[in-house]
Amino acid sequence: MNPGNFQKLQQAFRGEVIQPGDSGYDDARKVYNAMIDKRPRLIARCVDVADIMAAVQFGRESDLLTAIRGGGHNAGGLGVCDDGLVIDLSRMRNVHVDPKAKTVRVAPGCVWGDVDHAAHAFGMATPTGIISTTGVAGLTLGGGIGHLTRRYGLTIDNLLSVDMVLADGSFVTASAKENPDLFWAVRGGGGNFGVVTSFLFRLQPVDTVYAGPTFWPLEQTEEVMKAYREFIVQAPEDVNGFFAFLTIPPAPMFPAHLHNQKVCGVMWCCTGAPEQAEKATRPLRAVGKPALDHVGPVPFPVVQSLFDAIYPPGLQWYWRADFFKELSDDAVRQHVEHGSRLPTMHSTMHLYPTNGAAHRIKNQDTAFSYRDANWAGVIVGVDPDPANRGKITSWCKDYFDALHPYSAGGAYVNFMMEEGQDRVKASFRDNYDRLATIKKKYDPANFFRVNQNIHAAT
Ligand SMILES: Cc1cc2nc3c(=O)[nH]c(=O)nc-3n(C[C@H](O)[C@H](O)[C@H](O)COP(=O)(O)OP(=O)(O)OC[C@H]3O[C@@H](n4cnc5c(N)ncnc54)[C@H](O)[C@@H]3O)c2cc1C
């Protein structure tokens, strides 16, 4: 590192600059997925936009590989890098709700629990994922799929504007009116275009929801999955339910006789009145003989944090994913075969519905290019013990290989590991060329490349 540049950074910076050898270095370089073990040369823990500007300038002038860390949840570890600079936003966690305008302004280091908590006090929420510890920044920039997708669309469908620091150090706002090309690109295109320093979201009237799981013994999977594929594409939009294979954790909230049982299930989150939601979900919940059917009124932030305790930071994770337009009988057979072989208690497979309100926006309207898919599928091998790394990875890869031929061809970028350019292109499909043109305008030298990378058009 050039000493002059480093001195300039130190003079301009209010946050913490952490280097190898500093006492907090090993904690600061850790991300959510313990399989990722990267050693940056410098971590710039920003406290404000001025810090972000100084860090971008330093990274560029020092020609350092530069990663941006929001919540640090990215599966492939794209919030950190080896031998480079990490612009760490984890200290920037302010949330401001405007109840009159029904909007929320969110700082870039927030996790979704911060937003859920602040907005719930006003009886509102914005669509997010399914775990409260996930970072707002990365989840939003990739699209944002979760409990409210069928009712209120993807997270990006509720994004009104972003403030950003670009690769040249300049500060811009992107919205439908200002820099609309950039606003189009950040809605699905990830961290390719600059550092987002603030998000403005529309809030929706979501307070208490009708939620919880229905679990069935594995023997009933084929019947349940076939009923689910018909049910969820035509269910009312206020009904959301993702399909899962899982092992029931040995936790007091579950009956002891079900502990450690592998099951298939649907995790519900419905925004209509409880009686209406009960009636709407009944046809699927009445299929076969559920082992557990535990659905009722729950405050939305509780649903959002239901899985937090099972999935604390520091586990080993290996992910593979694809979008699906349909679940053919052959695909269901593959699910039955591989889903029943969950290799560890934490491993799981989720199929998130991406229809309903998310289908009202078209593929070319935002960078997220799979509006015509009905599900985002993700297979995750998870375990606390690094010794089981091989086991969870090979199960996940085998499952993915078996299912990929039935997929729509590409994956949700936020569910991918580092899988190469072909997979990135398959994920952006017809939107890739437009993204490459916008990349050329805002980041021609590919300064922001620790992401599912879009190469600037030539
Ligand atoms: C347990 C778990 C559950 C999940 N559940 C869901 C879910 O329900 N729905 C869903 O859609 N996704 C989900 N995800 C995936 C999640 O969306 C991605 O992992 C996402 O990348 C996390 O964002 P982050 O800010 O925490 O990540 P980080 O690792 O901090 O960053 C990820 C990427 O975003 C970029 N980035 C981060 N901050 C900024 C910024 N301010 N400006 C520009 N670029 C930035 C980085 O460059 C990096 O490429 C889940 C992940 C985990 C681990």
Side-chain angles (χ1 to χ4, degrees):
M1 273 183 302
N2 175 311
N5 288 344
F6 185 58
Q7 199 181 11
K8 211 158 80 181
L9 174 72
Q10 282 183 310
Q11 282 163 356
F13 210 72
R14 276 208 160 186
E16 229 181 322
V17 173
I18 307 167
Q19 299 184 76
D22 289 348
S23 58
Y25 177 74
D26 279 328
D27 267 346
R29 72 184 181 85
K30 263 187 210 150
V31 288
Y32 182 81
N33 181 359
M35 215 182 261
I36 308 295
D37 181 24
K38 294 189 180 165
R39 308 187 71 85
R41 216 185 290 184
L42 198 141
I43 299 166
R45 206 168 249 175
C46 306
V47 295
D48 59 16
V49 175
D51 277 0
I52 298 174
M53 286 170 152
V56 167
Q57 189 182 356
F58 170 74
R60 201 187 56 245
E61 288 176 355
S62 309
D63 201 17
L64 281 175
L65 179 67
T66 299
I68 312 164
R69 180 192 176 121
H73 257 234
N74 188 265
L78 296 173
V80 65
C81 60
D82 270 326
D83 202 28
L85 167 69
V86 175
I87 300 180
D88 179 347
L89 308 170
S90 62
R91 290 284 186 270
M92 297 177 67
R93 284 180 71 163
N94 189 48
V95 182
H96 178 79
V97 175
D98 182 339
K100 272 200 200 130
K102 296 189 171 54
T103 58
V104 59
R105 185 164 283 286
V106 182
C110 286
V111 298
W112 279 106
D114 301 333
V115 183
D116 298 337
H117 171 77
H120 187 67
F122 298 93
M124 295 188 281
T126 203
T128 151
I130 62 140
I131 285 209
S132 82
T133 56
T134 311
V136 170
L139 180 139
T140 302
L141 295 171
I145 297 166
H147 287 308
L148 300 177
T149 302
R150 295 194 76 248
R151 178 76 160 97
Y152 293 116
L154 303 179
T155 306
I156 48 170
D157 303 341
N158 296 269
L159 184 63
L160 298 172
S161 74
V162 288
D163 291 340
M164 294 179 72
V165 173
L166 302 178
D168 65 5
S170 61
F171 178 84
V172 296
T173 295
S175 67
K177 291 208 175 110
E178 264 180 280
N179 300 304
D181 56 346
L182 187 57
F183 190 54
W184 178 87
V186 296
R187 284 177 293 161
N192 271 283
F193 306 95
V195 185
V196 174
T197 63
S198 175
F199 295 84
L200 183 69
F201 295 102
R202 184 185 305 118
L203 287 168
Q204 304 290 357
V206 177
D207 191 347
T208 295
V209 290
Y210 185 77
T214 308
F215 294 145
W216 289 266
L218 276 184
E219 309 80 77
Q220 295 176 40
T221 301
E222 188 172 342
E223 183 189 1
V224 173
M225 217 171 186
K226 285 182 176 172
Y228 172 79
R229 74 181 172 195
E230 310 299 332
F231 171 84
I232 201 68
V233 294
Q234 44 76 31
E237 287 182 2
D238 55 14
V239 169
N240 208 95
F242 71 83
F243 183 93
F245 285 109
L246 71 153
T247 306
I248 299 181
M253 64 186 282
F254 299 111
H257 73 277
L258 293 178
H259 288 179
N260 298 310
Q261 300 268 329
K262 290 179 189 175
V263 291
C264 72
V266 173
M267 175 66 200
W268 302 101
C269 180
C270 308
T271 45
E275 320 76 60
Q276 203 181 313
E278 204 285 328
K279 198 168 154 210
T281 53
R282 179 59 42 202
L284 191 68
R285 290 160 66 202
V287 168
K289 234 177 142 220
L292 182 85
D293 187 31
H294 194 63
V295 194
V298 193
F300 182 67
V302 174
V303 182
Q304 277 287 103
S305 49
L306 222 51
F307 301 108
D308 293 2
I310 309 171
Y311 293 113
L315 306 179
Q316 307 279 315
W317 290 74
Y318 188 85
W319 301 54
R320 296 308 292 268
D322 264 322
F323 283 108
F324 297 88
K325 288 187 184 169
E326 54 182 20
L327 293 172
S328 66
D329 288 355
D330 285 342
V332 169
R333 264 192 289 281
Q334 296 299 340
H335 276 296
V336 171
E337 185 182 334
H338 293 269
S340 340
R341 288 200 220 130
L342 298 171
T344 59
M345 204 279 281
H346 292 82
S347 297
T348 186
M349 190 290 300
H350 291 175
L351 274 174
Y352 298 103
T354 51
N355 41 52
H359 272 191
R360 282 201 283 280
I361 311 245
K362 298 296 160 219
N363 281 346
Q364 65 279 8
D365 293 344
T366 63
F368 184 99
S369 76
Y370 274 94
R371 299 287 180 163
D372 50 338
N374 277 311
W375 292 275
V378 62
I379 305 158
V380 282
V382 194
D383 197 65
D385 188 351
N388 287 331
R389 200 176 169 148
K391 187 158 103 173
I392 58 176
T393 304
S394 59
W395 168 77
C396 189
K397 285 183 175 167
D398 288 349
Y399 196 162
F400 170 82
D401 288 345
L403 214 57
H404 182 64
Y406 306 99
S407 76
Y412 173 39
V413 285
N414 275 346
F415 291 162
M416 284 165 60
M417 306 295 280
E418 288 189 89
E419 298 173 29
Q421 257 309 282
D422 286 350
R423 284 290 283 164
V424 175
K425 284 189 172 166
S427 293
F428 291 115
R429 303 202 276 189
D430 294 346
N431 287 340
Y432 188 89
D433 289 348
R434 186 169 168 195
L435 283 163
T437 305
I438 298 170
K439 179 80 173 174
K440 186 178 177 186
K441 178 171 167 190
Y442 291 98
D443 183 20
N446 204 10
F447 175 66
F448 297 110
R449 61 184 178 280
V450 185
N451 43 45
Q452 300 298 348
N453 197 225
I454 292 154
H455 296 176
T458 46

